[in-house]
Amino acid sequence: MLRAGVDVKIGYVETHGRPGTEALVPGLPVIPRRTLFYKGKELEEMDVTAIIQAHPEIVVVDELAHTNIEGSKNAKRWQDVMEILDAGISVISAINIQHIEGLNEEVSEIVGLEVKERVPDSVLEEADEVVNIDLTAEELIARLKAGKIYKPEKVQTALDHFFRTEHILQLRELALKEVALRVEKQVESGLSDGPSFRHEKFLACISSAEKTPRRLIRKVARLATRYDTKFAVLYVQTPKESTDRIPLANQRYLLNHFKLASELGGEVIQVQSRHVPEAIVDVCAKGKFTTVCVGKPSFSFWSLMGSLRRYRTLVRKLSPLSIDLIILS
């Protein structure tokens, strides 16, 4: 790009001590890093203000999912990138498939652990183009063993855990599907002619439980991405979970659910009602939602009976409005 006369600078590159990466940086225009002190240590972080002041045409920013050092302007590097974009500067960045928020549940099932560093799907929606850098499992493991990913002392641990062949193959499949989805959406948006379809709008109905609502929100966000449409998350507060009665733990779960929904680009709706199905139907009618998504019922006998009654009531009320009901696991 420099040879082509493009005003491009490096905002931040994580070399991780790799000699091959470090050898590529000298001689290139690099934005100076910002020094911070954390727990008695002098650390470096990307300087967002310096990038905006320099205002290059394009800035290269590595490690989109990185968590910034405490005391930085933004908590996450993807938030830095959004600020740089808002300043009118284009960004080239990179992200591994396991760091996409909407895929967190699938990745956890594959690798057996929860990836903490995550980027909202809505950030990818801002991209003009998403390109897949595809390596076979054999190539990736060879790069790892050659010290091109981690320092030598970390290689064996990585091979024994995250970088196992079966994990890499499944993550590679997720990456290919993700890019194919983005390309498909670009093709569909570029076609002006064609049959007219119902414009989908999804509503995820959550409780104050800890885990099921998170899975539900992520799955509905993925559905909304697939249909290139909007989604919302609804919590119906019943009297037994009024402000003065709901346990503190459940309050924290709800706040985390609302935060997740917002990060994934969804709207958060809260209503108070004694009758959950009726409240859902009312929100659907007002918000013109086409599809309601709920979690599967618990399997103790009495809770299952209660859930089935609510589902039956909900289906009966949604049917005349031509609103679909999806039960997600």
Side-chain angles (χ1 to χ4, degrees):
M1 286 191 288
L2 288 170
R3 284 195 293 268
V6 178
D7 178 19
V8 56
K9 290 180 171 59
I10 294 177
Y12 203 92
V13 170
E14 300 272 14
T15 66
H16 296 294
R18 296 170 297 200
T21 305
E22 290 177 343
L24 294 171
V25 177
L28 296 177
V30 179
I31 303 290
R33 301 182 179 193
R34 179 168 171 254
T35 301
L36 294 170
F37 290 90
Y38 179 65
K39 293 185 177 180
K41 294 183 179 179
E42 184 177 307
L43 303 171
E44 291 182 329
E45 193 58 273
M46 185 171 76
D47 194 332
V48 179
T49 302
I51 291 172
I52 293 174
Q53 288 176 346
H55 213 281
E57 182 182 348
I58 300 173
V59 64
V60 177
V61 177
D62 199 9
E63 298 278 1
L64 191 61
H66 171 79
T67 295
N68 291 334
I69 299 166
E70 189 173 320
S72 298
K73 186 176 183 181
N74 297 307
K76 297 283 188 176
R77 189 165 290 164
W78 66 262
Q79 294 171 323
D80 292 338
V81 166
M82 300 307 288
E83 187 175 339
I84 293 168
L85 289 171
D86 288 341
I89 302 168
S90 296
V91 176
I92 296 174
S93 188
I95 181 173
N96 290 322
I97 190 67
Q98 63 265 25
H99 295 297
I100 296 177
E101 180 68 68
L103 294 173
N104 188 252
E105 301 289 343
E106 292 180 68
V107 170
S108 296
E109 290 177 6
I110 290 171
V111 300
L113 56 87
E114 184 179 13
V115 177
K116 301 295 184 182
E117 303 275 34
R118 304 195 292 268
V119 174
D121 296 44
S122 56
V123 175
L124 268 72
E125 293 296 319
E126 295 291 324
D128 295 309
E129 187 173 6
V130 177
V131 178
N132 184 38
I133 302 173
D134 185 35
L135 293 175
T136 64
E138 292 77 12
E139 288 176 293
L140 189 57
I141 289 173
R143 287 179 59 82
L144 180 63
K145 290 180 177 178
K148 295 181 179 180
I149 298 177
Y150 295 130
K151 291 182 179 180
E153 59 269 25
K154 294 183 178 180
V155 170
Q156 192 56 52
T157 301
L159 288 170
D160 293 339
H161 296 89
F162 199 94
F163 283 85
R164 290 160 57 180
T165 300
E166 61 269 26
H167 293 169
I168 296 170
L169 287 172
Q170 292 177 81
L171 292 173
R172 184 187 182 200
E173 181 185 19
L174 277 183
L176 292 168
K177 286 181 178 178
E178 181 67 22
V179 175
L181 171 59
R182 304 286 166 182
V183 172
E184 183 181 359
K185 286 177 62 179
Q186 282 185 318
V187 171
E188 289 176 351
S189 63
L191 297 176
S192 57
D193 299 323
S196 177
F197 295 102
R198 180 177 74 161
H199 186 70
E200 299 288 348
K201 190 176 179 183
F202 295 91
L203 181 68
C205 301
I206 66 167
S207 69
S208 62
E210 180 183 8
K211 295 182 179 179
T212 300
R214 287 192 307 175
R215 291 196 296 270
L216 182 64
I217 292 167
R218 289 186 178 117
K219 287 187 176 184
V220 173
R222 298 294 294 174
L223 280 172
T225 298
R226 174 65 183 84
Y227 284 90
D228 195 19
T229 189
K230 298 178 180 179
F231 79 98
V233 170
L234 169 65
Y235 167 65
V236 180
Q237 184 187 59
T238 59
K240 70 177 183 179
E241 287 195 337
S242 59
T243 306
D244 58 337
R245 297 181 68 182
I246 185 171
L248 286 175
N250 294 83
Q251 290 185 42
R252 288 196 298 270
Y253 299 152
L254 276 174
L255 289 174
N256 289 333
H257 300 335
F258 297 157
K259 180 182 177 183
L260 175 61
S262 297
E263 288 182 346
L264 291 174
E267 176 189 2
V268 175
I269 303 173
Q270 300 181 66
V271 298
Q272 295 178 344
S273 177
R274 292 179 177 275
H275 307 289
V276 176
E278 288 79 356
I280 293 173
V281 173
D282 184 57
V283 169
C284 285
K286 291 177 179 177
K288 297 183 179 179
F289 291 96
T290 62
T291 304
V292 173
C293 301
V294 297
K296 67 180 180 182
S298 56
F299 287 99
S300 64
F301 178 78
W302 292 112
S303 62
L304 180 60
M305 290 299 100
S307 297
L308 289 177
R309 282 196 296 272
R310 287 193 294 271
Y311 286 141
R312 187 168 57 190
T313 301
L314 188 57
V315 170
R316 188 175 67 249
K317 291 180 176 293
L318 291 176
S319 182
L321 301 175
S322 297
I323 298 173
D324 295 328
L325 176 65
I326 299 177
I327 300 176
L328 296 170
S329 61

